[in-house]
Amino acid sequence: MKDDIGTARSGLIYAVIAYGLWGVLPVYFLLLRPAGAVEIVAWRILWSLVFCGVLLAVTRSFGRFVALLRDRSIAGTLGLAGAFIVVNWTTFIFATLSGHVVEAALGYFINPVVTVLLGVLLLRERLRVLQWVAVGISLVAILVIAIGYGRFPWISLILAFSFGFYGLIKKRVGGRVDAVSGLSIETLALAVPAAVALIVVSATGFTSQTGGLAFGSSGTLQTVAVVGTGVITAVPLLLFASAARRLPLSTLGLTQYIAPILQLIVGVALLHEPMTTARWIGFALIWVALVVLSTDAVRAARRGRPEPAVGIAADEPQKHAGDSSRIANETAR
């Protein structure tokens, strides 16, 4: 019993730290200025690949990595997942650099509901009553925010849907892929496009405030921060993977709200982004929807039924290969 309690306690600590790190990522990405979103994502891919290579060497996991890489089905699936995570990363970093952290936070609040909705649309799943209620409330919230904001919250929806599709795609490989090998294959598949993107930015200054690559020409702190993107991508992932082995899915899912809550605080309190009345109402409705969804998850877990998805980690391997309600959220942003 004491061992179980200790395991659960350590799992909760790992989860809180992982989501806490993801929650303050906007602050870290601001250190990467004047680099633009495309350059930052490209460097993040390449330095993540380097860091994963170090981890594979330290843990002596190259054999497993190579075996997974030779499996065309797994490699192809992870390559497609990588494409969606690039969309997610680019959108999130663009939101951070352009002063839309609050809108990004909304996207990650919406993500659990989007995951459930994708299960209905793509996997023909049947939702329980409370799940339908949560979806309905979320749609109303998006409408309220769109009307009050004066434009469609496309950043929020791109983040939510790219995260959702990433999870559904990763579900296909299930528990066959560990966290480090999965991220290694995904970043390896993206390495060439990332290198091409850096060449384009260097030649054209696309999305750059310096007319070329900011890396190496914008001070020591910015250079070190760019190199550190590999670490800040992999470390929360490994902490989350450790938490996932120690906590039930319902508990793990509830902790995922730490990240968007912290992002919201960063956006409002630190970056002074506006929170209009419509935004507050919209966020309040989303929180109500999440309470409904979480309540349904807990009730379903107690009855031994599949739990609805309450969030995913962008870099986490999907250990539950059942329906989309078992998807455990790039992530690693």
Side-chain angles (χ1 to χ4, degrees), residues 30-216:
L30 290 175
L31 297 176
L32 306 183
R33 288 174 170 171
V38 173
E39 180 182 350
I40 292 172
V41 171
W43 283 123
R44 185 177 184 183
I45 291 169
L46 296 178
W47 286 114
S48 294
L49 181 59
V50 171
F51 189 69
C52 284
V54 173
L55 290 177
L56 289 172
V58 171
T59 59
R60 299 180 180 179
S61 302
F62 270 113
R64 177 172 175 77
F65 166 73
V66 172
L68 291 170
L69 191 60
R70 288 177 176 173
D71 188 319
R72 293 184 179 181
S73 175
I74 289 178
T77 300
L78 291 176
L80 182 58
F84 277 102
I85 209 58
V86 163
V87 173
N88 188 273
W89 285 357
T90 305
T91 304
F92 182 79
I93 293 174
F94 169 79
T96 299
L97 299 180
S98 61
H100 293 88
V101 173
V102 171
E103 195 170 343
L106 175 63
Y108 291 113
F109 276 123
I110 295 174
N111 173 248
V113 182
V114 167
T115 301
V116 170
L117 186 60
L118 289 177
V120 175
L121 298 177
L122 301 181
L123 304 180
R124 300 183 182 278
E125 295 177 0
R126 294 182 179 180
L127 298 188
R128 296 184 289 272
V129 174
L130 287 181
Q131 290 175 305
W132 276 118
V133 170
V135 170
I137 294 174
S138 298
L139 293 177
V140 173
I142 293 172
L143 182 62
V144 169
I145 291 173
I147 294 175
Y149 196 47
R151 66 178 179 84
F152 201 65
W154 65 270
I155 290 177
S156 303
L157 294 180
I158 289 177
L159 288 173
F161 275 92
S162 60
F163 229 13
F165 278 112
Y166 177 85
L168 288 178
I169 293 170
K170 290 267 284 190
K171 190 188 83 167
R172 294 188 59 186
V173 298
R176 293 177 291 168
V177 180
D178 61 279
V180 178
S181 296
L183 183 60
S184 299
I185 293 174
E186 289 172 25
T187 51
L188 180 62
L190 299 168
V192 172
V196 171
L198 290 177
I199 293 173
V200 171
V201 172
S202 177
T204 67
F206 178 66
T207 78
S208 173
Q209 299 176 21
T210 61
L213 291 178
F215 179 69

Side-chain angles (χ1 to χ4, degrees), residues 276-308:
T276 62
T277 301
R279 271 192 169 186
W280 279 119
I281 293 175
F283 268 82
L285 288 172
I286 289 294
W287 291 330
V288 170
L290 294 177
V291 169
V292 172
L293 198 61
S294 300
T295 300
D296 181 77
V298 173
R299 289 175 58 183
R302 289 176 178 175
R303 295 172 183 172
R305 298 162 62 186
E307 300 174 18

